[in-house]
Amino acid sequence: MANLKSAKTRVKRNKKRETINANRLNATRTAVKQTRAAIAKGDKETATKAFRKAESSLAKAKNKRTIKANTMARQISRLAQALKALIIKK
């Protein structure tokens, strides 16, 4: 257990940040899953809206350093590729 006042403060702050980061990551994962589900259904409009939301959520998570930049880029790229295939397909 922390002895110094500053160390105790850091413990509290770290717990708070951990919760915030976990919530942000969960929201990001949910947005990505919704996008994949919309693409699987074949609904272009819903998939496009969901993609925009997922892209925004991933960018926010990256800017807040919840996820790494390459992870964000890779996920956006794969979603965009799947969306493009859906749009060209129909």
Side-chain angles (χ1 to χ4, degrees), residues 21 23 29-30 32 35-36 41-42 55 57 89:
N21 286 337
N23 289 339
R29 286 180 180 151
T30 301
V32 170
T35 305
R36 287 194 183 128
K41 284 183 182 178
E55 187 176 24
S57 182
K89 182 180 171 183

